[in-house]
Amino acid sequence: MFKVAVIGASGLLGRAVVDELAAQPAWQVVGTAFSRPAPNTVALDVRDPRAIEQFVEREAPDALVIAAAERRPDVCERQPELARALNVDAVRAIAVAAHRRGAWTLSISTDYVFDGTHPPYQPDSAPAPLNAYGRSKLDGEQALTDTTDLGCVLRLPLLYGPIVDWAESAVTSLVPAIAASASVQGKAANMDAWAIRYPTFTPDVAFVIRQMLERHAAGNAIRGIVQWSGDEPMTKYEIAMRLGRALQLDARLVPQHAPTDATPRPHNCHLASDRLEQLGIDRRTPFDTAIRQVLAAFPWRGDTSA
């Protein structure tokens, strides 16, 4: 029996990973959660190194996937100590416990470790984060690689997938503004048309992670840094236009061709996925197909309050 612990199993990516791995008949999955505990998860505060150590000793996983993080750039700017606790210190504590057990550790990182000026970025491209979020995730990468030689960093871009509320993904968080702009008395919504993003479907990422775990289970663990990304470049404005069409809304959207965010964000951090593709690891669902799946599973009915 191959056992995997998913740290942060209640989040956007964590849920998709658990769903994918739980479908493997010869595997056992244990998920942890903190802010959104569920009956099928183990309560774990990743800011508590002793609790992490006890969890790993008790569950004895063969591999761990770290999906817990503070991923909101604006929050990281305002609360750098929280960003460091979740994105750096927790990764190190988990890697220490996993290394002691001899378990493979996969830590999730971000395209925001780059400044967005020279895409596409390879795993060995020089990082240059522009904001506190990117800096904390880069430090988290270093924490993993400094702690264990049986580990891997997986860099990912903007994620979307099945949600529990609109705000859970930066993609679906646009829906309330889109809906308001389409209402009779609503105002047109300004949407960023400067930064280029590569929306990536969480069930696709979960499939990729499962393939990576299969290699570890077969004795061919992937180490170092790898990257995975959707292959459709689009701005927030273009994402919003596609969402409006999927929702059959006549949205009134105004493209903003210069950066307007208070937190600096990179222009184009396209991640090259060559290393995983060369290993035969690959799955990408077209955005229009995937976003319709997301919206169908989270009924619209004109309600954006959820």
Side-chain angles (χ1 to χ4, degrees):
M1 181 67 71
F2 184 68
K3 187 172 186 180
V4 183
V6 179
I7 311 299
S10 63
L12 179 71
L13 178 59
R15 293 194 308 274
V17 172
V18 169
D19 288 347
E20 177 69 32
L21 302 187
Q24 309 309 306
W27 290 15
Q28 183 180 358
V29 183
V30 56
T32 78
F34 178 64
S35 60
R36 287 185 292 196
N40 60 341
T41 59
V42 175
L44 179 67
D45 185 350
V46 296
R47 296 168 297 182
D48 183 344
R50 180 57 184 155
I52 290 170
E53 183 180 9
Q54 292 172 340
F55 168 80
V56 173
E57 288 178 355
R58 182 179 68 251
E59 298 294 339
D62 299 293
L64 296 95
V65 177
I66 308 174
E70 178 49 69
R71 59 174 180 79
R72 297 166 294 179
D74 293 339
V75 172
C76 292
E77 291 292 327
R78 294 193 304 267
Q79 303 180 57
E81 69 289 344
L82 175 63
R84 183 164 191 87
L86 293 176
N87 297 347
V88 185
D89 299 338
V91 172
R92 180 180 294 107
I94 294 166
V96 166
H99 180 72
R100 185 177 296 118
R101 157 145 185 89
W104 183 73
T105 305
L106 178 66
S107 182
I108 304 301
S109 190
T110 175
D111 57 345
Y112 272 28
V113 299
F114 299 112
D115 63 10
T117 59
H118 295 92
Y121 289 95
Q122 299 292 335
D124 60 355
S125 296
L130 296 180
N131 55 40
Y133 170 62
R135 289 190 293 273
S136 70
K137 294 300 283 186
L138 180 60
D139 288 347
E141 293 183 5
Q142 194 68 46
L144 180 78
T145 56
D146 284 351
T147 303
T148 180
D149 58 358
L150 187 57
C152 184
V153 170
L154 173 61
R155 291 180 181 145
L156 300 170
L158 173 66
L159 297 180
Y160 71 100
I163 54 172
V164 297
D165 58 60
W166 294 121
E168 195 173 25
S169 163
V171 170
T172 52
S173 68
L174 304 178
V175 169
I178 294 167
S181 78
S183 65
V184 175
Q185 297 178 330
K187 297 180 180 179
N190 294 328
M191 292 287 169
D192 179 83
W194 176 79
I196 299 170
R197 310 299 299 274
Y198 289 80
T200 302
F201 193 37
T202 52
D204 289 346
V205 177
F207 183 86
V208 165
I209 289 173
R210 193 251 292 172
Q211 290 183 303
M212 295 176 70
L213 286 162
E214 286 174 342
R215 290 186 66 88
H216 169 53
N220 300 308
I222 300 171
R223 305 170 192 241
I225 297 174
V226 296
Q227 302 176 157
W228 187 255
S229 174
D231 57 2
E232 298 175 79
M234 60 189 85
T235 64
K236 187 180 290 187
Y237 172 76
E238 291 164 332
I239 293 170
M241 291 290 288
R242 292 191 184 204
L243 278 166
R245 287 195 296 270
L247 293 165
Q248 298 182 315
L249 293 173
D250 187 15
R252 290 176 295 145
L253 307 173
V254 179
Q256 302 291 299
H257 295 288
T260 58
D261 290 306
T263 301
R265 284 167 167 79
H267 174 58
N268 183 351
C269 289
H270 185 208
L271 298 172
S273 306
D274 308 44
R275 185 180 175 197
L276 290 178
E277 290 171 342
Q278 289 166 4
L279 294 173
I281 295 175
D282 188 358
R283 194 178 86 177
R284 292 183 177 92
T285 304
F287 180 82
D288 289 337
T289 300
I291 199 62
R292 281 175 168 79
Q293 292 178 20
V294 171
L295 297 172
F298 193 73
W300 162 236
R301 300 193 189 96
D303 179 16
T304 58
S305 61

